[in-house]
Amino acid sequence: MLLENLLLPGNNAVDAETVRSLLKEFAAAPVYRSAAVEELILEDDYFRRPLRPEDLEFIDFSTPLDRSLASSLSALATHRMLLCIHDAQSIRLPRDGQKWSAFLDFYSDRNRILGEIVRPFLEHHAFDRLEQTTVPTAIDFDAAAARIMETRAQRLETEARMGGLASSPPNAKEKRRMQLVQFFGLADERRRALEAIAGGWLSEVSGAAAAARALLDSVPAADETRVADEIGCPIHSHACWQFYLPGSLAMANLLHYLASRGRNALRSLGALMFAVVAADAFLRQNAQSFIDGSAPALTPDKLRALFRDLVAPIAERWGESVWSEVSAGFQLCAAAQAIADEDLTRQLSWISGIERYKKLAQTIQAKIDNERIAIDRETFEEPREMCSTTHVHDDQRLVVIESGEMVFWGAPGMRVHLAPGEMILVPRQRLHGSSVMSDICVYHQPIIPEEWIGALVGSAATQS
């Protein structure tokens, strides 16, 4: 009965501690241990996935994620584990013999069995609330196509805005890396899920599989070597695993979720449509120099025709309600992408304002000292090269150095050095990590009340 309850996450009888125990057992594999300082970028080590398993001791997985929790520590841990589970379903050989033991560990029966046991629970935790916000409504081809065209225009505008934010000073190089890693680092993941959608049951419907293939082939190919050379950072094989944001991971995992569930068969076609629209918009607006300029544009007329070719044969066989389900899948992915956009925007804005957040930390610390406020805090004493795998906090925190030195990062290549007496504010749900640069570093993390932040951030913005 316990296993049955676990596999049916909607059942209220699920034993949360049993689930936590299984998640901890899954994350205990050697390839999932927390990162060492030299593992910030994992070049040519596809099987090494720092999961920060120690966080599983206290993360609350009992409540499905909503928009306010989409960038939380629970979301980050959930989507990192799901990505590992999905990757274990596709065999990838090691580049050299030294990685063979990691290969065997990653693809072990232990990992596969534990992963498939916890996968339904993690997917329920990740996507239940999101799915509840997307209710199919009666719709025909013309209305569904109009939604796609409207979304296409919105994606082009959003990607142009995001590109402007990523390319603007300060810290433009780090922001640009962060933006491109979210897209290119997870491109193989998304493509594999879309190949599963395009190559599955559609072959039984005359013309539909060909239209799905034409959709996939309409996305311009990018020269990823040129991308890596320009930004000075590898983007292949999860080299920047630690810098994937929860929202970006969620988009890849959502595509796998829709591709692998029979009940989502029609919605997966909407996911295919959205993923093609989103990829085309990103590449056209943010990676034009990396794609073949002679590639034919995915025009509205072409997109509309491919949409009809994909779904019309299915609607002819199973009825006009098919358009509603396909459209619901499209809208579901659009909603998830909006959350990912917000996550990336907030991360890029924080990276832009690092110096301001250092000043803001001083303002907050002065308030604590001058008013003698008793504030909750954690204190750490760590040795040289002690490394913190990238993570987020679900509260607002300062990092205050008492003695020693630390280097702090929130994007590939980003280095913020903190010496004794220096400090920084780490906003809630912003991805970051650090490493100790001295023999010993003693530092404090005061937990700042949420009600302080709005007024203080506004004041600092006015003064800056």
Side-chain angles (χ1 to χ4, degrees):
M1 178 62 74
L2 179 60
L3 182 59
E4 178 183 334
N5 287 337
L6 178 64
L7 294 176
L8 298 173
N11 191 324
N12 291 329
V14 171
D15 185 333
E17 286 308 310
T18 299
V19 171
R20 188 192 306 277
S21 177
L22 287 166
L23 292 173
K24 287 163 61 178
E25 188 174 353
F26 171 76
V31 290
Y32 299 145
R33 71 186 184 278
S34 289
V37 66
E38 67 272 11
E39 295 178 313
L40 188 59
I41 302 295
L42 295 165
E43 197 159 5
D44 296 330
D45 197 351
Y46 178 78
F47 311 108
R48 180 72 174 97
R49 310 291 182 87
L51 289 183
R52 204 173 148 97
E54 58 269 25
D55 288 344
L56 300 180
E57 295 287 347
F58 58 84
I59 292 176
D60 179 12
F61 291 97
S62 62
T63 303
L65 301 171
D66 59 17
R67 188 159 190 150
S68 69
L69 297 172
S71 302
S72 65
L73 184 59
S74 175
L76 181 62
T78 293
H79 288 299
R80 279 176 169 172
M81 287 188 283
L82 276 175
L83 193 70
C84 293
I85 293 167
H86 294 143
D87 278 353
Q89 296 170 348
S90 177
I91 296 175
R92 180 168 182 157
L93 293 174
R95 288 177 177 264
D96 57 63
Q98 292 182 337
K99 301 293 191 299
W100 193 254
S101 61
F103 166 84
L104 294 176
D105 186 20
F106 186 76
Y107 289 115
S108 68
D109 286 343
R110 170 199 175 278
N111 273 11
R112 180 177 59 85
I113 292 169
L114 283 170
E116 287 306 310
I117 289 174
V118 299
R119 179 182 174 187
F121 175 83
L122 291 172
E123 289 180 332
H124 172 76
H125 183 61
F127 302 126
D128 185 66
R129 292 279 176 83
L130 184 65
E131 285 192 293
Q132 289 177 15
T133 65
T134 308
V135 180
T137 55
I139 198 170
D140 59 12
F141 165 74
D142 288 331
R147 283 184 179 178
I148 291 173
M149 300 310 158
E150 180 182 2
T151 300
R152 176 182 179 274
Q154 291 171 348
R155 290 307 316 158
L156 288 168
E157 291 178 2
T158 298
E159 293 297 356
R161 174 182 58 79
M162 200 76 75
L165 175 60
S167 301
S168 63
N171 303 322
K173 184 180 295 185
E174 290 84 357
K175 290 188 296 181
R176 177 72 166 154
R177 285 187 189 127
M178 194 68 178
Q179 180 200 25
L180 294 183
V181 160
Q182 306 311 305
F183 183 85
F184 288 108
L186 292 164
D188 286 347
E189 293 298 323
R190 296 189 302 271
R191 182 77 181 193
R192 187 156 51 84
L194 298 178
E195 293 280 0
I197 295 170
W201 60 272
L202 286 178
S203 61
E204 302 175 15
V205 184
S206 177
R213 173 52 54 189
L215 268 167
L216 281 177
D217 291 345
S218 70
V219 177
D223 185 337
E224 296 189 3
T225 300
R226 286 167 58 195
V227 178
D229 288 345
E230 178 172 312
I231 66 175
C233 179
I235 58 172
H236 62 281
S237 307
H238 298 322
C240 291
W241 165 267
Q242 289 199 60
F243 294 101
Y244 295 149
L245 293 170
S248 306
L249 291 166
M251 278 303 303
N253 286 328
L254 178 60
L255 293 176
H256 280 289
Y257 170 68
L258 293 173
S260 63
R261 296 290 185 270
R263 66 181 176 86
N264 290 328
L266 295 176
R267 291 193 177 195
S268 73
L269 302 183
L272 172 62
M273 290 296 305
F274 178 82
V276 168
V277 168
D280 182 76
F282 178 90
L283 290 167
R284 299 290 181 186
Q285 297 288 53
N286 292 306
Q288 192 72 48
S289 62
F290 307 131
I291 63 178
D292 182 359
S294 64
L298 184 60
T299 64
D301 286 345
K302 181 179 179 181
L303 184 61
R304 180 184 173 92
L306 288 171
F307 179 45
R308 181 186 285 279
D309 291 346
L310 173 66
V311 185
I314 301 166
E316 288 175 9
R317 182 180 295 191
W318 286 287
E320 290 298 304
S321 62
V322 163
W323 296 108
S324 300
E325 277 295 315
V326 172
S327 182
F330 185 92
Q331 294 300 110
L332 178 64
C333 289
Q337 184 62 58
I339 294 172
D341 291 341
E342 182 180 344
D343 196 9
L344 180 56
T345 298
R346 290 173 59 204
Q347 188 76 13
L348 296 180
S349 297
W350 179 55
I351 295 168
S352 284
I354 284 295
E355 291 304 316
R356 185 165 71 88
Y357 277 91
K358 291 173 70 175
K359 294 177 182 177
L360 185 56
Q362 294 174 344
T363 300
I364 294 172
Q365 186 63 51
K367 176 180 176 67
I368 294 171
D369 294 341
N370 294 338
E371 300 179 23
R372 299 183 180 180
I373 299 171
I375 204 95
D376 290 339
R377 73 183 64 214
E378 295 183 53
T379 296
F380 302 87
E381 182 175 330
E382 295 177 346
R384 182 182 294 276
E385 294 194 347
M386 182 71 179
C387 181
S388 175
T389 304
T390 54
H391 59 285
V392 301
H393 297 295
D394 293 333
D395 43 38
Q396 313 274 358
R397 294 190 177 211
L398 301 188
V399 175
V400 182
I401 308 300
E402 178 181 313
S403 61
E405 296 183 16
M406 173 188 290
V407 65
F408 188 89
W409 49 73
M414 175 181 170
R415 295 291 185 273
V416 178
H417 291 269
L418 298 176
E422 294 186 318
M423 59 198 73
I424 191 169
L425 170 64
V426 183
R428 185 171 66 91
Q429 298 182 357
R430 288 306 91 221
L431 188 73
H432 66 285
S434 63
S435 179
V436 171
M437 304 296 289
S438 52
D439 289 342
I440 295 290
C441 182
V442 177
Y443 65 97
H444 309 281
Q445 290 188 1
I447 300 171
I448 309 306
E450 192 71 35
E451 58 269 21
W452 287 22
I453 297 300
L456 287 171
V457 168
S459 173
T462 301
Q463 296 169 15
S464 63

